[in-house]
Amino acid sequence: MLAVQRSAVVPDSLSVPSNAPEHCPGTESELAGKADACNGCANQDICASNTPKGPDPALPLIRDRMATVKHKILVLSGKGGVGKSTFTAQLGWAFAADDQIQTGVMDVDICGPSIPTIFGVALEQVHSSSSGWSPVYVQDNLGIMSVGFMLPSSRDAVMWRGPKKNGLIAQFLKDVDWGDLDYLVIDTPPGTSDEHLSVVQYLKESGIDGAVLVTTPQEVSLQDVRREIDFCRKVGIRVLGLVENMSGFVCPGCKTESQIFKPTTGGAERLAKETGIQLLGKVPLDPRIGKSADYGVSFLDEYPDSPASDAYLDIIDKIKKILGNESTP
């Protein structure tokens, strides 16, 4: 599984033509061929024409690649900093704790790729073989893919407009040799923008099992999660449930719990009742979660006695049941 050949190189052009201007609005934009940036571009007439565009040639390739993936789960939240990537990592670690379950984690947070650090493989590189790009394997049954592996250093900013982001996401889906997976967990950035729309579009034919929405107890976070729920409903993604992260603080010494971020408007519990969405659980704050993420180790393995570990495992069991996988495949 770990045998690879040569380092993969990210193409200079993903979905944008190599001769496109720097501020190309993208071929699918209403401004294609009409924006100021299009002046002088060799593709301007084609983009501005009313000739119907054919289906995206990447779609059948993605459908074929995803045919060996049983379940695809999105981790979403309209608000940044609520712990989506940390939750994604714990979900991946928990699935892969059963060595019979093949798990993949795809990081589509193009501008803030933290998944490699959380899994402790930030210094690894993506390699390619005749079957495509190989994920970076944390363990034999847990592979991850992120743009973070392709940057010259962790300090390098990714300053891409929508078309390039979309093109890389398409490559992660069609060119990565995921193999036979039981679960593919997709970590997304905050909001409801390019990356989210791209994932939905590219996986439309192969299907998305559902999304887990992560929030914190404060109303400022819940407001953005409401928008994320609206997004899911508009694009036809089933919401598997809500997770309230940072729900109270657990003292590592005495194990007592206190409220840090008070749910002034009822928190995720009230939001779940208002929207008819299942509350999967509440994960309390534990300083060791951040420590585990910094050191790239599984919090669930390192601190199984933490109330947060109990909460994570209970949530993950509920997700498995929703997907019809109460027992080991």
Side-chain angles (χ1 to χ4, degrees), residues 53-273:
K53 298 178 177 66
D56 190 328
L59 292 179
L61 300 175
I62 292 172
R63 183 182 62 243
D64 292 344
R65 186 71 82 175
M66 291 292 105
T68 59
V69 178
K70 292 181 181 177
H71 298 293
K72 294 169 282 295
I73 303 170
L74 300 182
V75 179
L76 304 172
S77 177
K79 177 64 68 178
V82 299
K84 289 184 304 299
S85 296
T86 302
F87 178 80
T88 298
Q90 302 312 316
L91 192 57
W93 285 115
F95 283 148
D98 183 339
D99 58 14
Q100 298 301 311
I101 293 180
Q102 300 297 320
T103 305
V105 174
M106 189 173 84
D107 182 5
V108 299
D109 191 345
I110 306 299
C111 294
S114 55
I115 287 293
T117 297
I118 296 175
F119 278 104
V121 289
L123 299 180
E124 298 293 329
Q125 291 184 329
V126 175
H127 295 81
S128 64
S129 66
S130 58
S131 58
W133 292 358
S134 175
V136 171
Y137 283 93
V138 182
Q139 56 193 51
D140 287 346
N141 64 332
L142 176 58
I144 65 176
M145 179 56 68
S146 170
V147 71
F149 297 128
M150 304 173 182
L151 301 177
S153 79
S154 60
R155 298 180 181 179
D156 282 43
V158 179
M159 298 181 292
W160 290 355
R161 291 184 180 271
K164 283 194 174 185
K165 291 181 180 180
N166 301 343
L168 184 60
I169 292 170
Q171 287 191 283
F172 280 177
L173 292 169
K174 71 182 177 67
D175 292 339
V176 174
D177 183 17
W178 292 105
D180 294 330
L181 289 183
D182 294 290
Y183 298 98
L184 177 62
V185 185
I186 302 174
D187 184 36
T188 66
T192 55
S193 192
D194 291 313
E195 294 90 337
H196 311 79
L197 291 169
S198 294
V199 170
V200 172
Q201 174 192 346
Y202 291 138
L203 292 178
K204 185 176 181 179
E205 292 187 27
S206 53
I208 298 172
D209 288 85
V212 176
L213 272 57
V214 182
T215 185
T216 50
Q218 314 98 296
E219 177 60 24
V220 70
S221 176
L222 295 170
Q223 287 178 356
D224 287 338
V225 174
R226 290 187 185 96
R227 298 184 183 100
E228 200 78 40
I229 292 171
D230 184 54
F231 167 82
C232 290
R233 289 174 172 169
K234 285 179 176 177
V235 299
I237 297 176
R238 175 173 62 147
V239 178
L240 300 176
L242 295 169
V243 172
E244 184 175 274
N245 208 14
M246 308 182 197
S247 181
F249 167 73
V250 176
C251 174
C254 65
K255 303 295 188 298
T256 57
E257 184 175 333
S258 57
Q259 294 291 329
I260 302 296
F261 304 115
K262 292 186 178 181
T264 55
T265 59
E269 187 170 353
R270 181 175 176 181
L271 178 61
K273 292 178 180 177

